[in-house]
Amino acid sequence: MQLSLTIKGSGADVVSYLIAKNPNNPYERDEKGFKVRLVYPIFTKEEVQFVIYVKPDPIDLVRNSSDLFDITHYINDREFAVSSLFITTIRKALGTALNGKPDEAYLHWVDHPFDMELAFGPVSTDLRDQEIADLFEPIGYKIEIERGDSAFREKSSARFVTISGKQSVQNALKHVSILIPVIDNYKHYFLDEREVEKLERYGEGWLETHPLKQMIVKRALRFNALISQSKYYDKKPYIRNQGEGTKIRLNDLRYEAILNVIRALPQKENIVDLGAGEGRLSVQLGFVEGVKEILSIEPSNKSRLKAIERFGQVIDREGYVEPQSLPGSLYYFDIRLQNKDIIILCEVIEHIDEERLPEIFNTILNDYRPKTLIVTTPNQEYNVLYDMDEAMRHDDHRFEWTRAEFAQHVEAWSKGYPYQVNIQGIGEEHPTYGQPTQMAIFRREEI
């Protein structure tokens, strides 16, 4: 995997100072399973080209990165594609240029626009060629995309991208440091708040006005918890409270709707929050009058640890029922969940392969037999108001259904079981697209 930058015109040789790499001293470094090299195939006063390329050692990657790679990576080509891993690996080599901090004598060249051509590849992506072009053309580039020489060229997902235009070296490197991982749409490392800071630093001056800003932010940060922190993200999943002029998170509206349903139920002593994540809903259930037991069921130990910490941080414990955080999965029968008053699946089913849902609902309605089952899931029709087109709201969603599709599935799941079902929406209603969240309430007929 490699990236090359070619500069033509007066002052081209200044580039060596901007990237702080002497053309007479080849650069070579080892970076955790990779060998990074930078060379100058061309170096004159009027034209300079440098190439930075990375050679991975898959065995060394596995040996030194047990948390990130498993045995399948010995035969995985992901580490050979230009990606977030590539950008992370070359960032040290190009850090001086990315941060715009060359020697003082060359500071005035940092913002100088050069005639340049930047090429990188191979890149593996789910984007169409035109979608890749739409990432670069609004910020002043012409773009060419080629596929590898092969009899299967048209079917290959690997591409080589060349962009050209008039840009400063710093801006060009900022652009590709954000957009290459967006094109690849995969992160090879743990994402946290530092990723938000990185996006804001390298996106400064161009991302704010980019027509695909929303898509860039979502593919760069991947997780809603991080996306919502970015200043570049238009937080449309917040619903405006018209009376007070404040904004309420859709997630908070969803929890409040569930809590209101539960408060109105005659039987609510025993509640199961199935797929509870980090326990945000479970902890609120602990304050509902009449509740005596809450089982917060979650398969992820990492999420359970955060949930347990959340449950213990409640200060005012008068009338509070602390949830029990238990490991569990929708895929396996769990005798502890039988005959409860309420089972909740809040934004859970869309994370499950669709073909597995009938069996899961058979287990819940036939074996667990809750008096009430509450299920929420996104309304796919509403996504158009988030400028999402065909995209889903979360990278881990396996599907998102329209209101009609949800109603059809709910009817199929409940058929043959003694449950009456009511479907309603949650959040601000649009006359055409409905509400952002849809909720089904199953109640056993004898109740």
Side-chain angles (χ1 to χ4, degrees), residues 36-214:
V36 183
R37 294 184 176 93
L38 187 150
V39 298
Y40 290 88
I42 303 172
F43 194 89
T44 69
K45 288 187 176 182
E46 297 292 327
E47 182 178 2
V48 169
Q49 181 187 68
F50 71 81
V51 179
I52 183 165
Y53 60 99
V54 177
K55 180 181 180 182
D57 181 344
I59 295 177
D60 199 30
L61 278 172
V62 176
R63 182 185 301 120
N64 294 324
S65 306
S66 58
D67 290 336
L68 295 177
F69 301 96
D70 59 28
I71 190 64
T72 62
H73 288 73
Y74 283 107
I75 55 173
N76 189 355
D77 64 357
R78 297 293 299 120
E79 289 73 55
F80 294 86
V82 169
S83 61
S84 61
L85 194 60
F86 174 74
I87 293 299
T88 300
T89 304
I90 69 171
R91 189 168 286 132
K92 283 186 181 179
L94 300 176
T96 300
L98 264 171
N99 297 318
K101 295 182 178 179
D103 289 343
E104 188 174 352
Y106 299 94
L107 280 174
H108 64 284
W109 286 94
V110 169
D111 296 323
H112 180 78
F114 293 96
D115 287 318
M116 66 170 58
E117 181 179 279
L118 189 151
F120 57 88
V123 62
S124 179
T125 180
D126 60 339
L127 297 179
R128 300 187 300 271
D129 287 358
Q130 185 56 53
E131 290 174 312
I132 298 174
D134 290 343
L135 291 172
F136 289 101
E137 288 175 349
I139 46 180
Y141 294 100
K142 294 181 180 179
I143 184 167
E144 296 179 10
I145 300 173
E146 296 182 0
R147 298 177 187 267
D149 292 330
S150 166
F152 303 100
R153 175 181 295 185
E154 295 304 317
K155 297 182 180 180
S156 173
S157 64
R159 278 161 266 185
F160 295 84
V161 179
T162 302
I163 57 176
S164 58
K166 205 171 183 68
Q167 299 279 353
S168 71
V169 172
Q170 182 186 30
N171 281 344
L173 294 177
K174 281 183 175 181
H175 296 157
V176 295
S177 70
I178 296 297
L179 295 180
I180 284 177
V182 166
I183 294 169
D184 183 71
N185 198 28
Y186 184 84
K187 287 297 176 71
H188 297 75
Y189 50 82
F190 178 75
L191 299 181
D192 57 19
E193 286 76 8
R194 290 172 295 182
E195 202 72 9
V196 179
E197 188 275 331
K198 190 190 306 175
L199 180 69
E200 295 185 353
R201 185 168 73 251
Y202 297 145
E204 185 177 0
W206 64 275
L207 184 53
E208 178 63 38
T209 57
H210 198 293
L212 296 182
K213 177 180 64 175
Q214 299 290 81

Side-chain angles (χ1 to χ4, degrees), residues 8 13 24 42 107 110 142 165 211 220 224 249 252 254 272 314 332 369-370 384 391 414 432 444:
K8 295 182 179 180
D13 56 335
N24 298 314
I42 303 172
L107 280 174
V110 169
K142 294 181 180 179
N224 288 339
R249 285 172 53 90
D252 293 335
R254 189 182 296 124
V272 177
V314 174
Y332 308 106
R369 299 184 301 277
V384 68
S414 59
T432 303
R444 285 185 71 88

